[in-house]
Amino acid sequence: MWPWEHAALAYVLYSALTRRRGRSPGDVATLWVLVASQLPDLIDKPLAWTFGVVHSGRMLAHAPVVAVPLCVLVYWYFSRRSTPEYGVAFGVGYLSHVAGDAVGSALVGEYAYARFLLWPLVSVPVDDQESVLGEVVDGLSPSPWLLVSGLVGVAVVGLWIADGKPGLGTFRRERSGSWRRDG
Ligand SMILES: [Zn+2]
């Protein structure tokens, strides 16, 4: 999945969760959703492709054996600071990324690329960086899938506007020097 698809999936799930509780996503919580939705790739891709610490861009930070304890730790941290909602937001963003990668690979029949779910019990395929680059070029070429992805993106932006554009308020408050905690 593309970064914006991870962000969109995470936001839709978090928005649905908060709406079920009769609320709208908060400003800071929304930023945590978006940051956490990118974090597995921001950790694993440089570790694999730049530093060579791991051999796949979906390995350490994507594996539930690391992801779940990390989310629990972050939730515990925010709970101690009386902002558990940020922990929930982080968990939704992070775990939706992991789930999105796994389901996305399974849907196109690339089951090997979902093996990170069981890492380190099973091995994960070694990344071929040239083929990854080729996939990036292919993925950004005009195609029905890119059109669908764009339409879904427009729908998610519509949901975000309907939710009151959460996240923007943080920057406005910081500019006016009146930042406050939110849900
Ligand atoms: Zn990923």
Side-chain angles (χ1 to χ4, degrees), residues 6 40-41 45 58 62 97 101:
H6 282 299
D41 281 347
K45 262 52 173 183
R58 285 183 187 176
H62 283 69
H97 180 116
D101 276 350

Side-chain angles (χ1 to χ4, degrees), residues 25-76:
D27 283 324
V28 178
T30 296
L31 295 180
W32 276 115
V33 169
L34 297 181
V35 168
S37 74
Q38 308 301 312
L39 211 48
D41 281 347
L42 290 177
I43 297 171
D44 277 348
K45 262 52 173 183
L47 282 182
W49 300 350
T50 305
F51 302 109
V53 176
V54 291
H55 63 255
S56 169
R58 285 183 187 176
M59 201 166 156
L60 190 69
H62 283 69
V65 71
V66 172
V68 172
L70 175 67
C71 290
V72 170
L73 199 66
V74 169
Y75 180 81
W76 173 80

Side-chain angles (χ1 to χ4, degrees), residues 16 23 36 54 69 100 138 142:
R23 300 164 54 185
V54 291
D138 285 350

